Amino acid sequence: MKILIIGESCQDTFVYGSATRLCPEGPAPVFRETSRVHSVGMAKNVYHNFVNLRDYLELDLDFTFISNKVVGEKARYIDTESNQLLLRVDQDQHDSIGLDILSSIDYDSYDAVVVSDYDKGFLSHEDLFYIARRSKISFLDTKKDCNLSWASLFTFVKVNEKEYMENNFKFLSTNLWEKLIVTKGSKGCSYKRKDYPLTHKVEVRDVTGAGDTFLAAFSTKYLTIEGLKDYKIDTAISFAQECCSKVVSKKGVATPF
Protein backbone atom coordinates (compact mmCIF):
# COMPACT_ATOMS: atom_id res chain seq x y z
CA MET A 1 0.00 0.00 0.00
CA LYS A 2 1.33 3.43 -0.99
CA ILE A 3 0.63 6.49 1.17
CA LEU A 4 1.46 10.10 0.32
CA ILE A 5 2.08 12.48 3.26
CA ILE A 6 1.99 16.24 2.64
CA GLY A 7 2.52 19.08 5.10
CA GLU A 8 4.88 21.63 6.59
CA SER A 9 7.69 20.62 8.94
CA CYS A 10 9.74 22.41 11.57
CA GLN A 11 12.56 21.84 14.00
CA ASP A 12 11.45 21.45 17.61
CA THR A 13 14.01 22.42 20.22
CA PHE A 14 13.39 21.55 23.85
CA VAL A 15 15.50 23.63 26.24
CA TYR A 16 15.51 22.07 29.70
CA GLY A 17 16.67 23.85 32.83
CA SER A 18 15.66 25.30 36.17
CA ALA A 19 13.65 28.37 37.13
CA THR A 20 13.89 28.82 40.87
CA ARG A 21 13.48 32.59 41.22
CA LEU A 22 11.88 35.64 39.62
CA CYS A 23 13.80 38.30 37.75
CA PRO A 24 14.21 41.47 39.88
CA GLU A 25 13.63 43.65 36.79
CA GLY A 26 10.15 42.31 36.14
CA PRO A 27 7.66 39.45 36.78
CA ALA A 28 9.48 36.77 34.77
CA PRO A 29 11.31 33.59 35.85
CA VAL A 30 15.09 33.44 35.66
CA PHE A 31 15.88 30.38 33.53
CA ARG A 32 19.17 28.47 33.77
CA GLU A 33 19.65 26.06 30.88
CA THR A 34 21.00 22.56 31.50
CA SER A 35 20.38 20.73 28.21
CA ARG A 36 18.85 20.90 24.74
CA VAL A 37 17.08 18.24 22.67
CA HIS A 38 16.43 18.72 18.95
CA SER A 39 13.84 16.90 16.85
CA VAL A 40 11.74 17.52 13.75
CA GLY A 41 8.07 18.26 14.19
CA MET A 42 4.71 18.89 12.56
CA ALA A 43 4.30 16.91 9.31
CA LYS A 44 7.76 15.31 9.71
CA ASN A 45 6.58 13.99 13.07
CA VAL A 46 3.49 12.56 11.35
CA TYR A 47 5.82 10.80 8.92
CA HIS A 48 8.01 9.44 11.75
CA ASN A 49 4.90 8.10 13.49
CA PHE A 50 3.82 6.35 10.29
CA VAL A 51 7.23 4.71 9.95
CA ASN A 52 7.23 3.70 13.62
CA LEU A 53 3.78 2.10 13.33
CA ARG A 54 4.65 0.34 10.08
CA ASP A 55 7.78 -1.18 11.57
CA TYR A 56 6.17 -2.13 14.89
CA LEU A 57 3.10 -3.70 13.27
CA GLU A 58 5.14 -5.19 10.39
CA LEU A 59 2.89 -3.69 7.73
CA ASP A 60 3.52 -3.53 3.99
CA LEU A 61 3.37 0.25 3.62
CA ASP A 62 5.39 2.55 1.38
CA PHE A 63 5.52 6.29 2.12
CA THR A 64 6.26 9.35 0.05
CA PHE A 65 6.79 12.53 2.06
CA ILE A 66 6.48 16.04 0.59
CA SER A 67 7.30 18.98 2.83
CA ASN A 68 9.12 22.30 3.05
CA LYS A 69 12.78 22.93 3.69
CA VAL A 70 13.06 23.42 7.46
CA VAL A 71 14.04 27.01 8.30
CA GLY A 72 14.21 28.27 11.88
CA GLU A 73 12.84 26.45 14.91
CA LYS A 74 10.24 26.29 17.65
CA ALA A 75 12.09 26.52 20.98
CA ARG A 76 10.33 25.43 24.15
CA TYR A 77 11.83 26.37 27.53
CA ILE A 78 10.88 23.78 30.14
CA ASP A 79 11.51 23.48 33.86
CA THR A 80 13.14 20.08 34.25
CA GLU A 81 11.81 19.29 37.72
CA SER A 82 8.12 20.06 37.06
CA ASN A 83 8.19 19.60 33.26
CA GLN A 84 6.30 22.91 33.12
CA LEU A 85 6.49 24.83 29.85
CA LEU A 86 7.68 28.36 30.63
CA LEU A 87 8.03 29.89 27.17
CA ARG A 88 7.84 29.00 23.48
CA VAL A 89 9.71 31.04 20.88
CA ASP A 90 8.74 30.46 17.22
CA GLN A 91 11.22 31.39 14.50
CA ASP A 92 10.15 28.85 11.88
CA GLN A 93 9.38 29.88 8.30
CA HIS A 94 7.34 28.04 5.66
CA ASP A 95 7.27 28.84 1.95
CA SER A 96 4.24 27.91 -0.15
CA ILE A 97 4.34 24.46 -1.75
CA GLY A 98 3.23 25.84 -5.11
CA LEU A 99 0.85 24.35 -7.65
CA ASP A 100 3.74 23.12 -9.82
CA ILE A 101 4.67 20.55 -7.18
CA LEU A 102 1.08 19.57 -6.38
CA SER A 103 0.14 19.16 -10.05
CA SER A 104 3.21 16.99 -10.73
CA ILE A 105 2.05 14.27 -8.29
CA ASP A 106 0.49 11.10 -9.70
CA TYR A 107 -2.33 10.82 -7.16
CA ASP A 108 -3.72 7.70 -8.85
CA SER A 109 -0.59 5.81 -7.81
CA TYR A 110 -1.33 6.32 -4.09
CA ASP A 111 -3.89 4.37 -2.10
CA ALA A 112 -4.31 7.27 0.34
CA VAL A 113 -3.14 10.83 0.96
CA VAL A 114 -2.55 12.23 4.45
CA VAL A 115 -2.32 16.00 4.92
CA SER A 116 -0.90 17.65 8.04
CA ASP A 117 -1.75 21.34 7.65
CA TYR A 118 -0.50 23.64 10.41
CA ASP A 119 -1.75 26.72 8.49
CA LYS A 120 1.71 28.29 8.28
CA GLY A 121 1.42 29.30 4.62
CA PHE A 122 2.71 26.05 3.11
CA LEU A 123 -0.74 24.95 1.92
CA SER A 124 -3.53 27.27 0.81
CA HIS A 125 -7.28 26.66 0.75
CA GLU A 126 -6.97 26.07 -2.99
CA ASP A 127 -4.20 23.52 -2.38
CA LEU A 128 -6.37 21.55 0.04
CA PHE A 129 -9.22 21.56 -2.48
CA TYR A 130 -6.89 20.31 -5.22
CA ILE A 131 -5.41 17.53 -3.06
CA ALA A 132 -8.78 16.31 -1.77
CA ARG A 133 -10.31 16.32 -5.26
CA ARG A 134 -7.48 14.22 -6.69
CA SER A 135 -7.14 11.68 -3.85
CA LYS A 136 -8.81 8.27 -3.56
CA ILE A 137 -8.90 8.26 0.25
CA SER A 138 -7.75 11.34 2.17
CA PHE A 139 -7.07 12.27 5.79
CA LEU A 140 -6.65 15.87 6.96
CA ASP A 141 -5.48 17.44 10.21
CA THR A 142 -5.76 21.22 9.85
CA LYS A 143 -5.49 24.47 11.80
CA LYS A 144 -7.35 26.45 9.10
CA ASP A 145 -10.82 27.94 9.38
CA CYS A 146 -13.22 25.42 7.93
CA ASN A 147 -14.10 25.84 4.27
CA LEU A 148 -16.63 23.39 2.86
CA SER A 149 -15.05 23.56 -0.60
CA TRP A 150 -12.24 21.31 0.65
CA ALA A 151 -13.55 19.95 3.96
CA SER A 152 -16.45 18.20 2.23
CA LEU A 153 -14.05 16.42 -0.15
CA PHE A 154 -11.69 14.84 2.39
CA THR A 155 -12.59 11.36 3.62
CA PHE A 156 -11.79 12.35 7.23
CA VAL A 157 -11.00 15.68 8.86
CA LYS A 158 -9.43 15.67 12.33
CA VAL A 159 -9.38 18.78 14.53
CA ASN A 160 -8.97 19.32 18.26
CA GLU A 161 -11.74 20.70 20.46
CA LYS A 162 -10.40 24.27 20.43
CA GLU A 163 -10.19 24.28 16.64
CA TYR A 164 -13.67 22.78 16.42
CA MET A 165 -15.11 25.63 18.47
CA GLU A 166 -13.09 28.51 17.01
CA ASN A 167 -12.49 27.60 13.35
CA ASN A 168 -16.11 27.28 12.14
CA PHE A 169 -16.16 23.47 12.30
CA LYS A 170 -18.91 23.48 14.92
CA PHE A 171 -21.05 25.79 12.79
CA LEU A 172 -20.57 23.54 9.72
CA SER A 173 -20.47 20.18 11.50
CA THR A 174 -23.81 18.97 10.10
CA ASN A 175 -22.27 19.22 6.61
CA LEU A 176 -19.32 17.08 7.75
CA TRP A 177 -21.29 14.42 9.60
CA GLU A 178 -19.43 11.41 8.14
CA LYS A 179 -16.00 13.08 8.15
CA LEU A 180 -15.29 15.09 11.29
CA ILE A 181 -13.31 13.66 14.21
CA VAL A 182 -12.82 15.96 17.21
CA THR A 183 -10.06 15.14 19.71
CA LYS A 184 -10.58 16.35 23.28
CA GLY A 185 -7.36 15.57 25.16
CA SER A 186 -8.00 13.69 28.40
CA LYS A 187 -11.71 13.43 27.48
CA GLY A 188 -10.95 11.27 24.44
CA CYS A 189 -12.61 12.23 21.16
CA SER A 190 -15.94 12.28 19.37
CA TYR A 191 -17.23 11.21 15.97
CA LYS A 192 -20.82 11.59 14.72
CA ARG A 193 -21.76 12.85 18.23
CA LYS A 194 -20.52 9.60 19.74
CA ASP A 195 -17.97 10.00 22.52
CA TYR A 196 -14.90 7.79 22.67
CA PRO A 197 -13.49 8.12 26.21
CA LEU A 198 -9.95 7.02 26.97
CA THR A 199 -9.81 3.41 28.11
CA HIS A 200 -7.10 4.17 30.65
CA LYS A 201 -5.54 7.33 32.04
CA VAL A 202 -1.81 7.98 32.05
CA GLU A 203 0.43 10.56 33.66
CA VAL A 204 0.81 13.30 31.05
CA ARG A 205 4.37 14.56 30.67
CA ASP A 206 4.20 16.33 27.31
CA VAL A 207 1.34 16.71 24.80
CA THR A 208 3.62 18.01 22.03
CA GLY A 209 2.92 16.11 18.81
CA ALA A 210 0.00 14.08 20.17
CA GLY A 211 -2.21 15.25 17.31
CA ASP A 212 0.42 14.06 14.82
CA THR A 213 0.37 10.64 16.45
CA PHE A 214 -3.44 10.47 16.33
CA LEU A 215 -3.46 11.31 12.61
CA ALA A 216 -0.84 8.69 11.75
CA ALA A 217 -2.30 5.98 13.99
CA PHE A 218 -5.90 6.49 12.90
CA SER A 219 -4.95 6.50 9.22
CA THR A 220 -2.71 3.44 9.57
CA LYS A 221 -5.32 1.33 11.33
CA TYR A 222 -8.21 2.44 9.12
CA LEU A 223 -6.30 1.59 5.96
CA THR A 224 -4.97 -1.78 7.08
CA ILE A 225 -7.93 -3.56 8.68
CA GLU A 226 -10.89 -5.26 7.06
CA GLY A 227 -14.53 -4.73 7.94
CA LEU A 228 -17.45 -2.37 7.57
CA LYS A 229 -16.75 1.36 7.75
CA ASP A 230 -18.19 1.90 11.24
CA TYR A 231 -16.15 -0.99 12.63
CA LYS A 232 -13.00 0.32 10.99
CA ILE A 233 -13.58 3.81 12.39
CA ASP A 234 -14.26 2.57 15.94
CA THR A 235 -11.18 0.35 15.85
CA ALA A 236 -8.98 3.06 14.34
CA ILE A 237 -10.07 5.65 16.91
CA SER A 238 -9.38 3.28 19.80
CA PHE A 239 -5.95 2.45 18.39
CA ALA A 240 -5.12 6.13 17.82
CA GLN A 241 -6.08 6.98 21.41
CA GLU A 242 -3.93 4.13 22.71
CA CYS A 243 -0.97 5.45 20.73
CA CYS A 244 -1.56 9.01 21.97
CA SER A 245 -1.61 7.77 25.56
CA LYS A 246 1.84 6.36 24.99
CA VAL A 247 3.39 9.49 23.49
CA VAL A 248 1.99 11.97 26.04
CA SER A 249 3.64 9.94 28.81
CA LYS A 250 7.04 10.69 27.22
CA LYS A 251 9.02 13.90 27.08
CA GLY A 252 9.25 15.92 23.89
CA VAL A 253 8.18 14.82 20.41
CA ALA A 254 7.86 11.03 20.47
CA THR A 255 6.53 7.98 18.64
CA PRO A 256 4.38 5.38 20.42
CA PHE A 257 6.58 2.27 20.00
Side-chain angles (χ1 to χ4, degrees):
M1 180 179 291
K2 295 181 64 177
I3 299 174
L4 172 63
I5 304 164
I6 304 174
E8 62 264 72
S9 300
C10 72
Q11 175 172 284
D12 284 318
T13 300
F14 295 85
V15 186
Y16 295 99
S18 61
T20 58
R21 64 187 180 93
L22 291 176
C23 175
E25 292 93 355
V30 176
F31 185 82
R32 186 177 294 273
E33 178 181 338
T34 57
S35 65
R36 288 188 176 224
V37 177
H38 301 282
S39 61
V40 287
M42 301 201 306
K44 193 61 177 287
N45 186 42
V46 174
Y47 169 74
H48 282 168
N49 273 268
F50 266 112
V51 173
N52 176 257
L53 293 166
R54 178 196 63 187
D55 295 346
Y56 179 79
L57 299 173
E58 299 181 342
L59 299 171
D60 183 16
L61 299 177
D62 181 41
F63 304 115
T64 298
F65 179 56
I66 298 177
S67 189
N68 59 291
K69 179 182 178 181
V70 175
V71 178
E73 66 176 5
K74 291 180 179 179
R76 295 170 175 85
Y77 293 79
I78 301 168
D79 178 67
T80 302
E81 184 175 347
S82 65
N83 205 48
Q84 176 66 48
L85 175 65
L86 303 176
L87 177 68
R88 195 180 98 176
V89 180
D90 289 5
Q91 296 178 313
D92 51 324
Q93 301 174 34
H94 307 274
D95 294 330
S96 171
I97 186 174
L99 187 59
D100 289 345
I101 293 176
L102 286 180
S103 61
S104 67
I105 299 170
D106 180 11
Y107 293 89
D108 290 335
S109 68
Y110 293 98
D111 297 286
V113 178
V114 178
V115 180
S116 175
D117 170 40
Y118 273 78
D119 196 23
K120 296 285 189 176
F122 182 66
L123 292 166
S124 67
H125 287 277
E126 292 76 16
D127 293 335
L128 294 185
F129 174 79
Y130 183 84
I131 294 168
R133 186 168 57 87
R134 296 291 304 276
S135 305
K136 298 174 184 176
I137 300 175
S138 53
F139 303 82
L140 171 67
D141 185 354
T142 183
K143 309 297 182 188
K144 280 185 175 54
D145 286 342
C146 182
N147 186 319
L148 286 179
S149 68
W150 48 258
S152 61
L153 296 178
F154 278 91
T155 309
F156 292 103
V157 179
K158 175 262 172 194
V159 295
N160 64 38
E161 191 170 26
K162 182 175 185 293
E163 294 154 359
Y164 174 75
M165 298 297 294
E166 297 179 359
N167 294 358
N168 291 326
F169 285 97
K170 181 178 180 180
F171 178 72
L172 298 171
S173 60
T174 53
N175 302 96
L176 303 172
W177 178 253
E178 296 283 344
K179 304 173 183 296
L180 192 60
I181 300 172
V182 182
T183 56
K184 301 178 178 180
S186 62
K187 295 182 290 183
C189 71
S190 63
Y191 172 72
K192 290 171 61 173
R193 295 182 186 159
K194 175 182 177 181
D195 291 328
Y196 294 79
L198 300 180
T199 55
H200 62 279
K201 299 295 181 68
V202 297
E203 180 182 355
V204 177
R205 303 188 73 182
D206 198 331
V207 298
T208 306
D212 301 333
T213 298
F214 189 99
L215 177 64
F218 176 83
S219 304
T220 297
K221 183 60 73 172
Y222 183 85
L223 292 169
T224 58
I225 60 173
E226 299 293 332
L228 297 176
K229 183 177 180 180
D230 286 346
Y231 167 78
K232 293 173 66 172
I233 293 171
D234 287 349
T235 304
I237 287 177
S238 297
F239 178 69
Q241 293 187 147
E242 175 191 342
C243 291
C244 286
S245 294
K246 293 180 183 297
V247 299
V248 300
S249 65
K250 306 176 183 180
K251 280 187 176 182
V253 176
T255 53
F257 301 106

